[in-house]
Amino acid sequence: KHVTGVQTCALPISERDGRSESGSGYADAYRFTGREGQRIRIDMTSSRFDTYLELFDNEQNSLATDDDGGPEGTNSRLIFTLPKDGAYVIEARAFTEATGEYRLILSEVEPDAPPRPLAFGATVQGEIAENDSRDAEDRGYDAYVFEGVEGQRVRAIMRSGDFDTYLQIGHAEGEFTALARDDDGLGEGTDSRLNFTLPDDGRYVLRALPLGADGKGLYSLELQDRGPQPVAGSLLVGVTARGTLTESDATADDNSYYDAYRVTLKEGEKLVIKMVSNEVDSFVIIGRAGEDSFEALGSDDDGLSDTHAKLEWEAPEDGAYEIRAGTYQQGQTGAYALIVDKQP
C-alpha cells in the first residue's frame, strides 16, 4: 500500500496478510516517500489487539520500532526524523499473532527545536507551551545541551508550580533516547532532581517536560556539576565509623545518598553490620564493586528498629567487599554511625 501526506487507514489484519519481516505475526506494509530531516509521526490504534509499529528504509533496514508509545496503554506511536530522501516502509501488526481491525495515521510534525546551551551552575527560567516540540507521548518539552566528561556526576533540578515536572537526559547525537529520567526526585512533591554519571566524553541533551501530556506553564531548571564519584574509604572490622550524609555524596539508582567503605574478608567470615541515626532512615548494603557496576549481596532497612539497620551476613569467598551506608528514602541527609563486628 502507498501513503502520502497525512493519511488515515482503517483496515483489518487477517491471516490472508503476509508475515512481518521478523516472521512474528501477520502484518500490513505501507510505503511512503520522505525527505531528509522530515519529522514524521505514525499512530496505530486498535480495540482488538496490542499494536506494534516498525519503520524500514527502502533497503528493508529497520530504523525504529514502537509497542506501547501511544495513548491508552496498548496503542503505538512512533516519532522519527528521516535520515535521507527516498522511500520508506511502515509495517503495522499486532504485538502477538492477533488479527483484527486497526487505524493507522501518518502525519508530519514540526522538527525539533535545536537545544539551547546550558552552563553548569546556571539556573534558567522556561515555559512549556503549546508550540513546543513534542515527544512520543505528546508532551511538550524544552531541550538543553551541555558538554561533559566520562565519570562526571551531574545533577539537574526542575521546579514548577504549574505542573508535575519530569527530566530526561540522553546523548546529543542521533535520535534522542533517555539514558536516565526522574519524576519526583527532589522529595518535595512534584519537582524533579536527576542525578546521573556521564558514561562518555561528549555532548548531552537535557529535556525539561511535564509528566503528563496536558502539562504546561512556567518552570526553573538548574544544572550542577557534582564532580567525580567519591572513592570508597577503608574500614576495619570491629571499628565504628561515624559520618554525615550530604548532597555531595555518592548517589544510588533511586537518588538516595550513601557513603562507601571497603572491608577485606575471608570466606565464611560472619559479620554484624549496624547503622544507627537519629536524622535519617538507615539502610545498609554489602556487595562487590566492579569498575562500572555494583552487585548487592545483602541489605537491611529496619532490622534494628524502625529507622536503624542491622544486617547479619557471611562472606561467600575471600576478597574485598563494599559496605554502603545510605538511606531508605531519597534526599535524606544527616549524621550516622556504622558499626561492623564479627558475629560471636
Side-chain angles (χ1 to χ4, degrees):
K1 305 176 181 68
H2 291 265
V3 290
T4 57
V6 178
Q7 294 288 320
T8 300
C9 301
L11 295 170
I13 291 176
S14 71
E15 295 180 359
R16 294 189 299 271
D17 289 321
R19 307 289 292 188
S20 66
E21 281 293 314
S22 62
S24 55
Y26 301 103
D28 284 340
Y30 298 86
R31 183 180 298 273
F32 69 95
T33 301
R35 63 185 184 275
E36 181 180 352
Q38 185 179 17
R39 194 158 178 81
I40 62 166
R41 187 171 91 178
I42 311 166
D43 286 281
M44 183 180 181
T45 60
S46 176
S47 61
R48 301 293 300 274
F49 56 81
D50 186 355
T51 63
Y52 191 84
L53 284 169
E54 188 160 6
L55 179 66
F56 297 88
D57 64 17
N58 201 36
E59 288 74 42
Q60 289 300 296
N61 298 307
S62 179
L63 301 177
T65 62
D66 184 75
D67 175 19
D68 297 330
E72 300 178 9
T74 61
N75 295 315
S76 304
R77 175 175 291 160
L78 196 157
I79 297 178
F80 188 77
T81 302
L82 302 181
K84 60 183 179 180
D85 295 351
Y88 294 86
V89 175
I90 302 167
E91 185 179 87
R93 65 176 177 87
F95 185 72
T96 61
E97 293 267 350
T99 58
E101 294 183 350
Y102 66 92
R103 188 167 184 254
L104 183 74
I105 302 175
L106 170 64
S107 57
E108 182 176 4
V109 295
E110 288 294 323
D112 284 342
R116 289 170 275 180
L118 181 61
F120 286 105
T123 300
V124 297
Q125 308 296 321
E127 181 179 7
I128 301 299
E130 292 292 340
N131 59 348
D132 282 333
S133 300
R134 316 294 292 187
D135 72 356
E137 297 183 37
D138 207 27
R139 298 177 294 202
Y141 67 87
D142 289 339
Y144 299 86
V145 65
F146 66 92
E147 292 195 12
V149 297
E150 180 181 351
Q152 184 179 8
R153 296 185 304 153
V154 301
R155 171 185 290 153
I157 297 175
M158 182 180 181
R159 294 182 172 92
S160 176
D162 295 332
F163 58 86
D164 190 352
T165 64
Y166 192 52
L167 285 169
Q168 297 175 324
I169 192 171
H171 289 294
E173 287 70 35
E175 197 76 11
F176 179 83
T177 300
L179 300 173
R181 55 187 61 82
D182 182 77
D183 172 20
D184 299 328
L186 198 57
E188 299 174 359
T190 60
D191 295 329
S192 304
R193 174 171 52 197
L194 175 60
N195 292 311
F196 184 65
T197 301
L198 302 183
D200 307 289
D201 295 357
R203 299 168 69 245
Y204 291 83
V205 166
L206 184 66
R207 282 189 175 183
L209 64 164
L211 185 63
D214 58 346
K216 56 182 180 292
L218 302 175
Y219 68 86
S220 67
L221 177 66
E222 181 181 2
L223 180 64
Q224 302 173 355
D225 178 7
R226 303 184 65 230
Q229 185 83 342
V231 177
S234 296
L235 181 66
L236 296 176
V237 175
V239 173
T240 297
R242 301 185 184 277
T244 302
L245 295 173
T246 69
E247 292 189 356
S248 63
D249 285 329
T251 51
D253 291 340
D254 64 352
N255 278 335
S256 61
Y257 304 114
Y258 69 87
D259 286 338
Y261 300 88
R262 289 190 180 276
V263 292
T264 301
L265 303 172
K266 296 290 187 180
E267 179 181 351
E269 193 169 356
K270 298 179 180 180
L271 298 182
V272 179
I273 305 169
K274 300 176 185 177
M275 180 181 175
V276 297
S277 175
N278 294 322
E279 299 177 13
V280 302
D281 188 353
S282 302
F283 187 60
V284 293
I285 304 176
I286 189 168
R288 305 295 290 263
E291 185 175 345
D292 298 308
S293 63
F294 177 78
E295 179 189 7
L297 300 175
S299 63
D300 182 76
D301 171 24
D302 298 330
L304 192 60
S305 70
D306 286 345
T307 59
H308 304 319
K310 178 182 178 181
L311 174 64
E312 296 183 356
W313 185 79
E314 181 177 338
E317 59 185 8
D318 294 358
Y321 295 86
E322 183 171 294
I323 298 173
R324 293 184 172 184
T327 66
Y328 187 73
Q329 298 179 9
Q330 63 183 17
Q332 289 188 333
T333 58
Y336 67 87
L338 179 69
I339 306 103
V340 181
D341 284 318
K342 291 184 179 181
Q343 290 189 37

